[in-house]
Amino acid sequence: MSAPSSSSLSIRDLHASIGDKPILKGLTLDIPKGEVHAIMGKNGAGKSTLAKIMAGHPDYTVTSGDVLLDGESILGIEPDVRARLGLFLAFQYPMEIPGVTIANFIRAALQARLPEGEELEATDYYAKLYSKMDALSVPRNFTSRSVNEGFSGGEKKRCEILQMAMLEPSYAVLDETDSGLDIDALKIVSAGVNALRGPNIGMLVITHYQRLLDYIVPDKVHVMSEGRIIHSGDKDLALKLEAEGYDWVEKEYSAGKSAV
Amino acid sequence: MSISTSFPAEIATSSTLNHWPEWFRKDQQEAWEIFQSLRQPKRTDEPWRFANLKAIDLSDFHAAVPVQDAASLITRSSAHTSLAAKLIFANEVLIHNDQAGLPAGVLLLPLEEAAKNHEELFRKSFMTSEVRLGSKKFAALHRAHLRSGAFVYVPQGVVIEKPIEIWHWVEGENTTIFPHTLIVLGEGASATVIDHFVSSREERSLAIAVNDLTLGTNAKLHYVGVQDWSDKATAFHINTTEVEKQAVSTALQMNLGGAYIRGESDSHLLGEESRSVMLSINPASGTREIDQRTFQDHFAPRATSDLLYHNALADSSRTIFAGLIKVEEAAHETDAYQKVRNLMLSDEAEANSMPGLEILADNVRCTHGATSGELNEDELFYMMARGIPPKQAAQLIVRGFFGTVLERLENEDLQAHLGEILDRKLNLNV
Ligand SMILES: Nc1ncnc2c1ncn2[C@@H]1O[C@H](COP(=O)(O)OP(=O)(O)OP(=O)(O)O)[C@@H](O)[C@H]1O
Ligand SMILES: [Mg+2]
């Protein structure tokens, strides 16, 4: 196994379970800064589990392997600390938080990144918030609405990307950010994601639809099945998966395994 | 010595009582006799189920003497920046009276002056309904010892845009005060009144507070009680609300302080299509006990009552809620809602909820319910995944939990103002 780059989000032979049920079974993936990788795979393959384990969800137990952020292991580190280290997860199912406005929520997240005793400057904050909202076509009155409460599916996803734009992570995992979006919203959100692309961020985009990858063109596409990456390729792999489904990859993979 | 032996002498001697008219002083004597004739509540009394009866042993408390430094309390009485009027009472003495922003015709007076100069109005609305949620004895004590209070009368058609703020300070170890706010809105009148209940020092004290809210046809009232007594205080907050045809009362009690708080809130929906919104925000921590009893009594058709109480319980705090919705025979097409939510932040905390319903009319819609839950782990994780430390995340969730009650106020300025008060005060051990 090659040594992980010190400028990457690196998952090394990760095994993880929920209760007694193993879900990740030796997953290895390296996302260098500056690149966008996509993961595709059937329902239940473990894609969201991978995302949540990276973010530090307490329900999952990592049994072996490691997750390295810029060369440092983040396993055993609290979720909020991971986030402040630069990791961002756009949730497949964002939570509703009654009574907490979007403006206060994002402000608390930014405030948590400042040194003790330093206060976030309110005018600058709102100026930045409004400009990002405008770019993502999120109506400005959303600032005073409770986080995700009563939002449509698409609004929730846009709000996730708004948070990402405000928090400027160095690594972002986007879990099915495209599902629930209409065509126009898909373009807007993709443009928002593309605007954040650059040498200082590595992204992992989880999706079921090749269509998203027309807008957010990935450097690499990986296929996940039963808790492992079973195939990797360039962006054209997504087209092939779209046309032919997953069976051939799985067959190739088991053939390869039995050949070993 | 006990309150029952030390207080009566003062009725006769207290010079402050001379401000009251003779008929009221007779009234007070009668109230004193009622207080003495009624026994202390017992655990087997339905309105005192689960109650901590030790907390209402009033033996060590005594009457108030004037505060030492009124000027500093006036300085400390600052909350809302844009007011129609402000009254400040300290140990039952009016120490500040600013009503420059009141529209013509509005009466904002010390109660004793209202009793003297507006006797009919006063008699019609001063503690006219029976106290029926358990504290009859303590309400009698209040009546017997009342020295002052605020009288708010808004005549027909007059709308006061800005809030009226009333401060009730208590000072002195084991001091007792009897705050009173009496609000009468004429037909179509509208007002916002905020009562602040505060201790000048971290002392043990007793307050037996009463408010009477009377809304004429089509009137609109926002009433807020910001209870922020010292953490050693015992307090009774006894409310009666009477709502006439198409009038809307929105009353919020925020219990931010106190060791033992007994709240009683009794809404009478007297007129057709009247509406009473009953709200309460209760951050409980330490060993605080908040015991609340409510009554939504529907007398007229097509009226609405909507109760929402949110309790967040940290440490070994305790809350009790007992609420009754009663739909009287004539009250067809009643809409009545009652919802209590307990957010349990500690295993040692205890929440008791006793919702109740009694329906004597047809075609009514009533829902009531109490829920208890802990902090939602997925919400916490979501916030932590944004970099918010768990303690702050929990605080935000609790703040949001209370924020959903504030959202019921149909006044954004008031919402924001009370939100700031909550932000300053909310420091629960979560
Ligand atoms: N809390 C849980 N308890 C039990 N099983 C779980 C739990 N969370 C996930 N699983 C199981 O783990 C497997 C992987 O789930 P995961 O959500 O990671 O799949 P996914 O690849 O994201 O699927 P989808 O494409 O449908 O979003 C599934 O079989 C799921 O039922
Ligand atoms: Mg998933």
Side-chain angles (χ1 to χ4, degrees):
Chain A
M1 220 177 273
S2 64
S5 145
S6 68
S7 222
S8 73
L9 177 60
S10 188
I11 303 148
R12 311 267 93 192
D13 194 26
L14 194 64
H15 289 74
S17 41
I18 181 147
D20 296 335
K21 183 180 171 189
I23 298 175
L24 300 188
K25 302 165 187 168
L27 189 139
T28 296
L29 189 61
D30 200 47
I31 304 142
K33 244 184 210 165
E35 291 189 12
V36 173
H37 289 209
I39 288 189
M40 303 183 81
K42 288 183 180 169
N43 293 131
K47 304 180 296 295
S48 293
T49 301
L50 171 66
K52 283 193 248 176
I53 285 173
M54 284 195 280
H57 197 289
D59 284 357
Y60 302 91
T61 318
V62 173
T63 47
S64 67
D66 209 347
V67 179
L68 308 169
L69 194 139
D70 290 338
E72 300 283 335
S73 174
I74 55 169
L75 295 182
I77 293 181
E78 289 301 311
D80 58 310
V81 181
R82 296 185 195 197
R84 296 198 296 275
L85 285 172
L87 186 67
F88 181 87
L89 168 60
F91 284 64
Q92 181 175 0
Y93 302 110
M95 293 303 300
E96 298 183 0
I97 307 174
V100 178
T101 64
I102 293 192
N104 285 345
F105 180 55
I106 298 179
R107 191 167 59 187
L110 285 171
Q111 181 67 50
R113 286 160 170 79
L114 295 179
E116 186 106 21
E118 204 173 300
E119 278 287 323
L120 196 69
E121 216 288 301
T123 341
D124 294 349
Y125 166 66
Y126 273 96
K128 185 174 171 189
L129 183 62
Y130 285 143
S131 85
K132 304 285 183 194
M133 291 177 86
D134 293 350
L136 287 162
S137 301
V138 177
R140 288 191 177 189
N141 64 13
F142 268 53
T143 48
S144 56
R145 285 183 61 178
S146 293
V147 176
N148 292 320
E149 199 180 43
F151 287 20
S152 73
E155 286 166 348
K156 285 184 183 170
K157 296 305 172 74
R158 253 184 282 179
C159 187
E160 291 291 288
I161 300 308
L162 171 67
Q163 293 171 43
M164 172 172 151
M166 289 299 290
L167 299 177
E168 299 173 339
S170 40
Y171 296 99
V173 180
L174 276 52
D175 192 358
E176 294 198 27
T177 300
D178 54 333
S179 53
L181 294 182
D182 62 48
I183 301 286
D184 290 339
L186 182 67
K187 285 182 189 163
I188 292 164
V189 165
S190 303
V193 172
N194 286 331
L196 297 171
R197 271 181 96 153
N200 294 322
I201 186 168
M203 291 194 209
L204 181 62
V205 178
I206 298 170
T207 183
H208 286 293
Y209 305 105
Q210 186 276 329
R211 195 185 58 191
L212 173 72
L213 306 179
D214 283 342
Y215 297 108
I216 305 173
V217 181
D219 297 292
K220 281 203 176 117
V221 176
H222 309 276
V223 178
M224 185 164 172
S225 173
E226 291 181 34
R228 298 180 187 92
I229 300 296
I230 59 166
H231 193 86
S232 299
D234 63 11
K235 63 177 166 44
D236 294 335
L237 174 59
L239 287 169
K240 190 166 178 195
L241 291 169
E242 177 93 351
E244 300 176 26
Y246 291 105
D247 282 356
W248 65 273
V249 207
E250 282 173 3
K251 274 194 197 113
E252 262 185 39
Y253 178 70
S254 26
K257 246 196 344 191
S258 50
V260 170
Chain B
M1 274 309 277
S2 90
I3 208 160
S4 53
T5 53
S6 69
F7 267 60
E10 289 156 19
I11 287 192
T13 57
S14 172
S15 61
T16 52
L17 286 170
N18 293 335
H19 298 298
W20 289 94
E22 194 51 39
W23 62 264
F24 188 78
R25 299 181 66 181
K26 269 204 201 109
D27 227 44
Q28 293 202 297
Q29 275 300 343
E30 262 168 50
W32 176 249
E33 279 148 28
I34 293 171
F35 169 73
Q36 285 183 309
S37 72
L38 294 171
R39 62 163 172 77
Q40 273 291 106
K42 286 200 288 209
R43 222 168 218 290
T44 45
D45 298 343
E46 184 56 32
W48 294 91
R49 260 181 87 190
F50 297 111
N52 175 358
L53 295 176
K54 250 197 238 134
I56 56 163
D57 171 4
L58 310 181
S59 331
D60 296 334
F61 295 105
H62 54 70
V65 295
V67 299
Q68 289 163 354
D69 184 0
S72 84
L73 296 184
I74 295 171
T75 314
R76 286 167 67 190
S77 304
S78 114
H80 203 287
T81 47
S82 176
L83 293 171
K86 188 194 281 193
L87 293 189
I88 305 173
F89 296 92
N91 281 4
E92 313 187 295
V93 177
L94 183 64
I95 58 170
H96 178 87
N97 183 349
D98 171 9
Q99 35 184 287
L102 281 183
V106 175
L107 299 176
L108 177 63
L109 304 167
L111 270 178
E112 63 276 21
E113 209 175 306
K116 239 185 309 186
N117 302 331
H118 305 273
E119 184 181 332
E120 197 191 323
L121 210 50
F122 180 93
R123 278 181 187 271
K124 232 168 50 190
S125 41
F126 175 82
M127 297 186 82
T128 46
S129 343
E130 193 195 339
V131 173
R132 44 183 192 167
L133 296 178
S135 286
K136 192 169 182 169
K137 182 176 172 72
F138 307 106
L141 185 65
H142 172 100
R143 192 177 186 129
H145 287 279
L146 185 69
R147 293 197 215 178
S148 191
F151 179 82
V152 184
Y153 171 69
V154 187
Q156 177 171 357
V158 174
V159 173
I160 313 176
E161 300 283 356
K162 293 177 180 173
I164 294 171
E165 206 174 72
I166 303 161
W167 292 75
H168 308 271
W169 289 91
V170 65
E171 183 174 294
E173 189 69 17
N174 291 336
T175 292
T176 307
I177 62 168
F178 299 94
H180 198 114
T181 297
L182 171 53
I183 302 171
V184 181
L185 301 191
E187 186 173 337
S190 165
T192 299
V193 179
I194 307 171
D195 259 336
H196 286 272
F197 302 97
V198 261
S199 306
S200 90
R201 299 189 288 250
E202 200 51 36
E203 290 168 322
R204 187 168 181 270
S205 61
L206 169 67
I208 300 178
V210 171
N211 66 69
D212 308 301
L213 315 178
T214 309
L215 287 79
T217 302
N218 241 325
K220 201 167 175 179
L221 175 68
H222 271 99
Y223 171 80
V224 184
V226 182
Q227 181 276 105
D228 193 10
W229 302 120
S230 102
D231 287 340
K232 296 180 186 164
T234 297
F236 293 74
H237 288 264
I238 302 166
N239 151 268
T240 310
T241 303
E242 296 188 346
V243 200
E244 291 292 349
K245 188 174 170 185
Q246 290 174 340
V248 183
S249 162
T250 307
L252 163 65
Q253 177 72 12
M254 309 211 311
N255 287 309
L256 309 176
Y260 172 85
I261 302 298
R262 168 87 180 190
E264 295 181 11
S265 192
D266 189 352
S267 266
H268 303 240
L269 291 124
L270 301 177
E272 286 181 32
E273 293 172 42
S274 58
R275 179 170 162 82
S276 177
V277 183
M278 302 157 77
L279 308 170
S280 190
I281 286 176
N282 301 301
S285 59
T287 55
R288 178 174 303 151
E289 295 191 30
I290 304 174
D291 179 351
Q292 293 174 299
R293 317 277 163 156
T294 67
F295 201 170
Q296 296 156 260
D297 203 352
H298 285 253
F299 294 93
R302 291 181 300 285
T304 312
S305 64
D306 193 352
L307 178 147
L308 181 66
Y309 278 30
H310 277 193
N311 306 323
L313 295 92
D315 309 324
S316 51
S317 60
R318 232 175 133 231
T319 62
I320 299 168
F321 172 85
L324 179 63
I325 296 174
K326 187 171 180 195
V327 183
E328 310 284 352
E329 269 172 59
H332 306 296
E333 295 173 65
T334 286
D335 268 343
Y337 308 96
Q338 185 190 89
K339 184 89 196 172
V340 181
R341 293 199 181 91
N342 301 309
L343 179 56
M344 309 303 295
L345 303 170
S346 147
D347 292 339
E348 275 88 63
E350 178 191 323
N352 303 282
S353 310
M354 297 170 281
L357 205 55
E358 196 181 323
I359 301 175
L360 308 173
D362 306 320
N363 196 11
V364 303
R365 191 162 53 187
C366 296
T367 65
H368 69 163
T371 58
S372 285
E374 293 170 11
L375 281 175
N376 183 318
E377 290 295 328
D378 287 319
E379 284 175 31
L380 270 179
F381 174 67
Y382 183 68
M383 300 178 100
M384 287 172 75
R386 296 296 174 254
I388 303 171
K391 198 175 157 69
Q392 264 126 284
Q395 296 270 11
L396 262 180
I397 291 173
V398 174
R399 175 64 179 78
F401 176 66
F402 291 137
T404 56
V405 177
L406 290 182
E407 283 166 17
R408 295 291 183 94
L409 301 172
E410 282 168 34
N411 179 331
E412 282 186 19
D413 172 65
L414 190 60
Q415 274 181 28
H417 172 60
L418 299 173
E420 281 165 23
I421 290 176
L422 257 186
D423 285 339
R424 271 199 303 276
K425 189 69 195 179
L426 210 56
N427 206 352
L428 288 179
N429 200 7
V430 287

